[in-house]
Amino acid sequence: MEVSPARRLWMAITYVLLVATALLMLVPFVYLVCSAFKTNDDVFRSTFLPAGDGLFGAGWGRLTLDNFRRLFTEMDFGRHMLNSVFLASVTSILATLASAMGGYALAKFSFAGRGFFTNFVLAALVIPAAVLIAPTYQLLYWMGLLDSYAGLILPGIAPAFGVYLFRQAMLNSVPNEVLDAARIDGAGEFRVFFGMVIPLVRPMLGAFLLITFLGTWNNFISPQVVLQSSEKFPLSVAIAQLKGVYSQDYALQMAGTLVSIAPVLCLFLLLQKEFISGLTSGAVKG
Amino acid sequence: MLTTIRSALSPGGWAIVILAALSTLLVLSRPDTRRSGLDMWVFARPHHEMYVPNVESWNASRDPDLNLYLLSLPALERRMSSGFLSDTPVADLIEADVRVASRAFTGPLEDVGFLDLTDRIRESGILEEINGPSFTPWTSRGRIFGLPHDVHPVMLAYRADLVEEAGIDVSGIETWDDFIGAMKPLMADADGDGRPDRYLLNVWETQIDTIEAFVLQAGGSYFDEHERVAIDSEVNARVISTIATWVAGPNRIAVDAQEFTASGNRLKLEGFVVASIMPDWLGGVWKHDMGDLSGKVKLMPIPAWEEGGCRTTVWGGTMLGIARSTRDPEAAWELAKHLYLSEDLARQLYESNGIISPIRRLWAREFYDVPDEFFQGQAPGRMYIDLAPSVPHRTSSPFNQIAKERVRDALTRLRQYAEQEEMFTLEELLPEARRQLASAHEDIQLRVDRNVFLKEDSEGQR
Amino acid sequence: MNTVVGRSRWTPLIFLAPFIVTFLVFTAYPLVQSVNLSMHQTYGPKTSTFVGGGNFTQLFGDPLFWKALGNTFLFALGSVLLQLPLSLGLALLLDRPAVKGRLLFRLIYFSPSLAGIVFVALLFGPIFEKNTGLLNVWLNSLIGFDLEFPWMERHVMTGLIVAGMWMYVGFNMVYFLAALQNVDRSIEEAALVDGAGPWQRFRHVTIPAIRPVAGFVVLLSVIGSFQLFELPFVLLNNTAGPDNRGLTIVMYLYQTGFEIGDLGYASAIGWSLAILLMILAIALRLLLRRYED
């Protein structure tokens, strides 16, 4: 098909806009990476790479790993990263499991109260988290779970959003005939669930695992409120503290931020497609 | 069966599962890093550096061990608060500043998280040894909850190089009017850009600490000695009206060169602002952050608000408190005395940070008389000590921070009013200032009244 | 579980159990308890006294609460009005099949939303500095923008809207993109055949098709914006900023509940937020329904 000049112009404009926006989006990231490797004086002296006589007019020799060294030796960031990984991965696995099981029950069984529970879950979606912080804190205090990992993980295992997503996924991807066939063959309910249902909702599993992992990794207010001992702090709380103690040392802060964002970005690269399709499946039918 | 398991998750999903397994193992196998002995939290890096060798020598010779931790001030405040309120672990010794310590005084007296030290302080004779006003921010409802760290008298630091270059004689300056009159020539527009080349005073409507310092100097206050709201007073109104005339209008002499900001420091280095109020601790900070100013700065007592008025004020304050939940109150008390009454530490505190000790018998020591080249050979220690007895009292009210912010808002509105109505003299602004302060007073009073726990105490005890 | 063929009555409930139990303990119970709490004044989680409706009357006359409400509302309004057209615009641009590298663009636009708000707050600290920060320096060299523009002192909410846009434009775009890709092509082609111009096609085919998703995105954005907390809290170094310009509803809740220790008042604030959001959600729904006719 012939491409008209008007069309070509339109395409050119489109690309310009897209690329310009992309560059704008990337600027803070580039700034982050560059600053993390600079000394604190250099952070404001030059925007990206430090000025110098090297390649591209940059002072490559002025880049330093010092910030990272300090983070992992003096500031115990290794420990904080471990805490983040632990909390995020354990919470996401437990939450995904609970949600998948719950969604399965609501989608594939008919039982008394199913309608009630389904509406229950849908209603729970609109509760703003903020209203629960104070009473949950009090509850955790009464249960003796303050300043413990359990106090952070347990409340996170029941996301209504998860049950909702998995219910959708099950309704769409798990045909009843397959389940009935498996049952007739003599498979027990858990066998059916883990052997047949789980593989069928694989995309949603990956998506929700990552969604919850991300949510927990980035969560600030819960660990800030629940935890007291600094050795249990995840990166989100440790980084806020870093800013407090070293408020003028921007290079150090940037290094800490980079260390906190990088793992999540990597994980996202692995699970991109599933993540996005999982995220949007709740809003877009089909 | 194996293929079914493997196909259950994508590679990314398995990555998360593996991370979970590994991290769980690592976390659970990690030994509890809580060390034995007493924990101490500090928030000021210079303090931390100074205490380290003393702590080491204590640990080497005495039991129990002291573990020193440096936290950011907000973090210390949060963890102290939540630790006191929810029975979660908190350090045995906590160094807190005025604002943070007052958090502990919000509830019933018996619930104050700090150990009541009043009797210990009296019995050991420390009460007489230490400068009286220094106890005031740590005293709630008549009980003392911390050992004072400092006195923090305030003087005026000014660019002596600029002043001498302009041939100005500062020896006759007694009041603010004198100051402005003498320093006015420095504001001339020599480079012809339409703006003054520099401003005389570092104060702004956003600088809540400076405003409070001036109020206290003039004899005003936000709370009276019984921690009752006292914002609505004539003295307070005069002070904020005066500040309003300094920051806006044709007689503006002030500029915002906020401490601890990059832009504020630049303005000071460039000589864009001539004078700032300087508590003893700020000298140490300037030397560290703006070494280029060495030899260019001198100190003088703050110009008074009226003839014969007070020439100093107070800014800041730190105390050492012992948590009521401590495992070993006697050891903690010994440690607290060791750190805070030590002459050696007092000397270090002065030499590295310029801070004078609250212990009166140490005031005669010679290290306070050593000339300081940063201040063109003046001896700041002696100068601050001379002002120490006149240092105003500070309140321990937990509402002081909100009061400071509220007064700042009142001043901001006053300034806006001045600009709108084009009124820039003290007399014109006084009525509006009184109105704004009355409103601020009401706001804070409302908050104070709301606090059921404090009210119960006050009704019971008075 | 046994291997009996057929389903027992309890199977669905067993599968639901983990969720239900946790939900009851950690969501339902706190929700109910928060109503109770909101009628008390507490000093930490231990000490409390009953004050009845006192918290709510106090809240009504509390200037800080209204300030927080105003700030939050401003942020939500600015965010929704600015972000969504941008997200939609980007999605429309990316939706054309002729665009190459669509996945790469999508990845780039989406990635800021992966960074936690806490981390973004740290990232934007040096960017918003006056005189020396990245934003002012760039804008100054580009359009002569005021170097001293005090983002974090006077124009906190504006700065937050900027940071919020960076974070979420791509996120919302992804939703719009998914919706656009589900638009029935046959209807669009029919419109084309009928001679409808691009603007008419947009108005009469595209918009109705994506309206449900748009509604969802608006709702999500509004609910999210109203819960703004970490961004100003960390940017302003654990304070609400000068003159409380950075104070948001959730920040006020946090300060009251966890800095002052009054969990009761904090719960009252929480409920005010919940009721406000409920009203907004219903209003949005009604608005949407009206446009559908």
Side-chain angles (χ1 to χ4, degrees):
Chain A
M1 210 177 93
E2 268 273 319
V3 181
S4 69
R7 182 98 195 204
R8 244 200 274 267
L9 181 65
W10 183 229
M11 287 306 294
I13 296 179
T14 307
Y15 272 112
V16 164
L17 287 173
L18 286 175
V19 170
T21 315
L23 287 176
L24 268 178
M25 293 277 176
L26 286 177
V27 162
F29 281 133
V30 176
Y31 183 75
L32 174 67
V33 174
C34 289
S35 305
F37 290 97
K38 292 198 279 206
T39 62
N40 197 28
D41 296 322
D42 275 341
V43 168
F44 283 128
R45 276 209 211 117
S46 54
T47 319
F48 297 124
L49 293 167
D53 334 289
L55 204 58
F56 301 126
W60 296 93
R62 292 245 283 278
L63 295 175
T64 169
L65 285 177
D66 213 37
N67 297 318
F68 296 99
R69 196 188 45 79
R70 284 175 68 195
L71 282 176
F72 285 98
T73 53
E74 291 168 38
M75 276 128 230
D76 213 10
F77 255 56
R79 177 87 215 214
H80 296 313
M81 187 175 263
L82 176 66
N83 289 332
S84 278
V85 171
F86 172 65
L87 287 171
S89 54
V90 170
T91 309
S92 66
I93 290 182
L94 292 177
T96 307
L97 203 60
S99 298
M101 286 167 69
Y104 175 58
L106 288 182
K108 291 292 156 189
F109 292 84
S110 70
F111 55 96
R114 174 167 94 159
F116 170 71
F117 277 125
T118 312
N119 287 322
F120 197 55
V121 168
L122 286 175
L125 286 177
V126 296
I127 301 176
V131 80
L132 297 175
I133 305 173
T136 307
Y137 178 75
Q138 200 186 43
L139 175 66
L140 288 175
Y141 170 74
W142 284 336
M143 291 172 82
L145 288 180
L146 279 182
D147 198 31
S148 74
Y149 291 117
L152 280 176
I153 296 177
L154 287 177
I157 302 184
F161 185 54
V163 174
Y164 171 70
L165 283 182
F166 275 105
R167 179 175 167 272
Q168 291 284 92
M170 303 266 174
L171 285 174
N172 290 334
S173 330
V174 179
N176 286 335
E177 304 78 54
V178 170
L179 297 179
D180 291 337
R183 287 191 187 106
I184 291 175
D185 276 351
E189 284 304 326
F190 279 109
R191 217 10 166 41
V192 172
F193 180 70
F194 284 104
M196 311 239 61
V197 178
I198 291 282
L200 285 171
V201 290
R202 185 176 131 146
M204 184 53 81
L205 279 175
F208 196 68
L209 271 175
L210 188 58
I211 292 175
T212 326
F213 188 92
L214 208 62
T216 316
W217 181 277
N218 290 335
N219 192 354
F220 170 74
I221 194 172
S222 296
Q224 167 83 336
V225 161
V226 170
L227 292 179
Q228 179 78 343
S229 315
S230 68
E231 64 256 15
K232 298 198 178 87
F233 285 170
L235 285 170
S236 49
V237 177
I239 204 93
Q241 202 144 293
L242 188 70
K243 182 176 168 105
V245 180
Y246 296 97
S247 55
Q248 298 297 321
D249 193 342
Y250 284 121
L252 188 65
Q253 291 176 40
M254 293 295 109
T257 310
L258 184 60
V259 158
S260 310
I261 296 185
V264 155
L265 281 175
C266 291
L267 212 54
F268 176 71
L269 286 172
L270 286 176
L271 284 165
Q272 245 191 91
K273 262 193 353 173
E274 292 167 312
F275 181 76
I276 290 188
S277 71
L279 201 64
T280 54
S281 72
V284 180
K285 306 292 181 278
Chain B
M1 187 69 182
L2 210 60
T3 39
T4 349
I5 293 181
R6 213 151 40 86
S7 68
L9 287 172
S10 56
W14 282 117
I16 293 186
V17 172
I18 294 172
L19 282 175
L22 282 177
S23 59
T24 311
L25 275 171
L26 282 172
V27 164
L28 293 179
S29 68
R30 196 116 178 195
D32 200 352
T33 50
R34 187 143 314 141
R35 299 177 251 183
S36 66
L38 297 177
D39 290 339
M40 176 163 162
W41 289 346
V42 300
F43 60 89
R45 195 102 47 92
H47 291 203
H48 185 251
E49 284 161 7
M50 244 183 9
Y51 292 153
V52 164
N54 287 277
V55 167
E56 275 167 11
S57 67
W58 168 281
N59 286 349
S61 57
R62 300 174 67 165
D63 257 346
D65 270 8
L66 180 66
N67 309 313
L68 197 57
Y69 295 97
L70 176 65
L71 274 62
S72 73
L73 189 58
L76 186 142
E77 176 180 0
R78 247 231 89 233
R79 290 165 67 185
M80 178 198 88
S81 276
S82 74
F84 283 166
L85 292 178
S86 65
D87 298 332
T88 46
V90 82
D92 303 273
L93 291 148
I94 301 177
E95 210 174 53
D97 74 350
V98 187
R99 196 175 55 84
V100 172
S102 66
R103 280 256 183 263
F105 305 137
T106 330
L109 197 59
E110 63 268 13
D111 275 352
V112 172
F114 287 115
L115 200 60
D116 184 341
L117 299 176
T118 320
D119 298 326
R120 282 174 222 256
I121 290 178
R122 259 195 220 125
E123 282 153 26
S124 60
I126 295 178
L127 192 60
E128 287 77 41
E129 276 196 56
I130 291 187
N131 191 35
S134 295
F135 280 111
T136 49
W138 327 119
T139 313
S140 180
R141 288 157 276 191
R143 312 296 297 175
I144 306 177
F145 289 98
L147 272 182
H149 179 260
D150 40 52
V151 182
H152 288 336
V154 181
M155 298 183 81
L156 193 70
Y158 64 97
R159 288 294 294 268
D161 57 336
L162 298 172
V163 161
E164 277 153 31
E165 205 186 310
I168 297 174
D169 176 17
V170 302
S171 56
I173 297 180
E174 296 260 328
T175 65
W176 280 114
D177 288 333
D178 296 341
F179 175 80
I180 297 174
M183 298 286 193
K184 246 308 165 47
L186 288 173
M187 274 181 64
D189 182 13
D191 58 13
D193 63 354
R195 293 186 318 167
D197 283 355
R198 53 179 63 89
Y199 286 97
L200 300 181
L201 192 57
N202 177 14
V203 64
W204 206 246
E205 68 205 35
T206 46
Q207 294 185 15
I208 55 179
D209 297 313
T210 316
I211 299 171
E212 188 193 24
F214 282 145
V215 162
L216 291 173
Q217 183 202 0
S221 66
Y222 299 154
F223 295 91
D224 67 11
E225 61 276 12
H226 295 295
E227 291 133 43
R228 287 190 295 238
V229 188
I231 294 177
D232 187 9
S233 75
E234 187 61 19
V235 177
N236 293 354
R238 294 196 83 88
V239 172
I240 70 159
S241 305
T242 313
I243 299 180
T245 66
W246 288 349
V247 303
N251 302 321
R252 176 182 164 191
I253 58 152
V255 71
D256 184 11
Q258 175 96 39
E259 302 295 341
F260 303 110
T261 63
S263 46
N265 286 359
R266 237 177 17 156
L267 290 176
K268 291 182 203 118
L269 283 166
E270 287 168 9
F272 196 66
V273 61
V274 175
S276 306
I277 60 166
M278 177 168 284
D280 56 356
W281 53 265
L282 193 56
V285 173
W286 278 33
K287 287 180 195 167
H288 186 262
D289 292 349
M290 294 182 287
D292 285 344
L293 285 180
S294 182
K296 298 186 183 159
V297 182
K298 278 178 101 162
L299 293 168
M300 70 183 214
I302 310 180
W305 288 83
E306 50 191 15
E307 293 284 344
C310 186
R311 301 298 300 269
T312 188
T313 178
V314 65
W315 179 355
T318 305
M319 73 161 214
L320 184 59
I322 301 175
R324 222 156 24 99
S325 60
T326 181
R327 294 162 259 186
D328 194 344
E330 294 316 316
W333 174 240
E334 287 305 311
L335 203 42
K337 284 193 296 183
H338 171 84
L339 280 177
Y340 267 43
L341 302 180
S342 138
E343 172 171 341
D344 194 49
L345 263 173
R347 186 173 49 79
Q348 276 181 52
L349 197 59
Y350 177 66
E351 283 170 3
S352 48
N353 300 104
I355 297 176
I356 65 168
S357 165
I359 306 170
R360 285 200 288 248
R361 69 181 154 81
L362 296 179
W363 288 353
R365 295 289 181 271
E366 296 141 3
F367 52 81
Y368 286 125
D369 293 301
V370 173
D372 191 333
E373 65 175 9
F374 189 89
F375 295 107
Q376 283 192 6
Q378 289 179 316
R382 185 54 51 203
M383 297 175 79
Y384 280 115
I385 287 175
D386 288 341
L387 292 169
S390 335
V391 162
H393 286 203
R394 288 159 289 176
T395 179
S396 66
S397 167
F399 298 96
N400 197 37
Q401 181 67 17
I402 301 184
K404 282 159 74 172
E405 290 169 7
R406 198 53 195 80
V407 170
R408 171 201 59 202
D409 296 345
L411 178 55
T412 305
R413 291 192 195 127
L414 183 63
R415 194 222 358 112
Q416 286 167 345
Y417 174 84
E419 282 170 354
Q420 256 176 303
E421 306 293 319
E422 293 195 9
M423 296 189 198
F424 299 109
T425 68
L426 176 64
E427 300 312 322
E428 285 174 316
L429 290 177
L430 261 182
E432 179 66 13
R434 292 187 194 109
R435 272 194 293 272
Q436 288 296 339
L437 284 183
S439 152
H441 184 118
E442 227 183 278
D443 281 351
I444 303 297
Q445 187 66 58
L446 226 73
R447 292 184 165 267
V448 171
D449 286 340
R450 250 209 95 223
N451 190 316
V452 184
F453 306 106
L454 276 180
K455 232 199 300 190
E456 283 168 4
D457 272 345
S458 64
E459 275 157 22
Q461 286 189 9
R462 282 174 220 140
Chain C
M1 192 73 190
N2 52 32
T3 51
V4 170
V5 174
R7 307 177 262 186
S8 108
R9 283 176 52 221
W10 300 110
T11 315
L13 290 173
I14 291 179
F15 276 100
L16 260 181
F19 171 75
I20 289 290
V21 168
T22 320
F23 185 85
L24 283 175
V25 174
F26 289 106
T27 308
Y29 169 73
L31 196 63
V32 171
Q33 171 65 355
S34 71
V35 179
N36 186 25
L37 253 186
S38 67
M39 296 192 286
H40 286 75
Q41 183 179 129
T42 83
Y43 184 56
K46 273 190 293 190
T47 331
S48 71
T49 43
F50 183 73
V51 292
N55 283 337
F56 288 99
T57 45
Q58 163 85 3
L59 204 59
F60 202 69
D62 186 347
L64 276 181
F65 175 67
W66 289 106
K67 179 109 208 190
L69 196 61
N71 286 341
T72 316
F73 192 74
L74 199 69
F75 175 78
L77 196 68
S79 293
V80 171
L81 288 182
L82 290 175
Q83 273 180 33
L84 296 190
L86 228 67
S87 306
L88 183 57
L90 280 176
L92 286 170
L93 284 177
L94 269 188
D95 187 39
R96 332 195 116 268
V99 171
K100 304 215 176 58
R102 183 190 307 170
L103 276 179
L104 181 63
F105 280 120
R106 195 181 69 172
L107 176 63
I108 294 179
Y109 297 148
F110 190 73
S111 46
S113 66
L114 294 173
I117 306 185
V118 166
F119 307 122
V120 171
L122 252 96
L123 177 55
F124 273 78
I127 294 182
F128 279 134
E129 270 265 330
K130 72 179 181 193
N131 288 317
T132 42
L134 185 62
L135 193 59
N136 281 3
V137 167
W138 263 30
L139 287 176
N140 180 260
S141 57
L142 271 174
I143 55 175
F145 192 70
D146 182 12
L147 261 185
E148 283 214 17
F149 193 77
W151 289 101
M152 286 299 110
E153 288 163 32
R154 282 260 179 108
H155 303 274
V156 184
M157 281 301 145
T158 317
L160 294 178
I161 293 179
V162 169
M165 284 215 292
W166 178 73
M167 278 194 81
Y168 291 120
V169 161
F171 183 81
N172 291 322
M173 179 206 80
V174 160
Y175 277 100
F176 281 126
L177 201 59
L180 285 175
Q181 287 170 343
N182 272 314
V183 169
D184 200 340
R185 297 288 171 200
S186 57
I187 300 186
E188 226 189 298
E189 275 163 26
L192 208 69
V193 165
D194 278 349
W199 176 245
Q200 280 170 313
R201 285 207 309 275
F202 183 69
R203 260 195 77 203
H204 295 283
V205 178
T206 320
I207 292 206
I210 62 171
R211 188 175 290 128
V213 175
F216 179 76
V217 170
V218 171
L219 191 65
L220 214 63
S221 293
V222 166
I223 292 183
S225 312
F226 266 92
Q227 300 197 64
L228 180 70
F229 164 61
E230 287 107 321
L231 198 57
F233 190 66
V234 176
L235 259 174
L236 296 167
N237 240 323
N238 295 42
T239 67
D243 204 18
N244 289 310
R245 287 199 181 102
L247 187 68
T248 66
I249 301 180
V250 179
M251 193 194 291
Y252 193 40
L253 190 158
Y254 173 84
Q255 285 178 339
T256 321
F258 300 99
E259 289 182 3
I260 298 182
D262 192 350
L263 294 170
Y265 199 61
S267 297
I269 299 173
W271 267 106
S272 312
L273 179 66
I275 293 175
L276 178 66
L277 285 177
M278 245 185 275
I279 296 177
L280 279 171
I282 294 176
L284 274 166
R285 273 241 127 118
L286 290 176
L287 224 82
L288 219 69
R289 219 157 274 166
R290 239 188 1 122
Y291 270 101
E292 254 157 43
D293 314 313

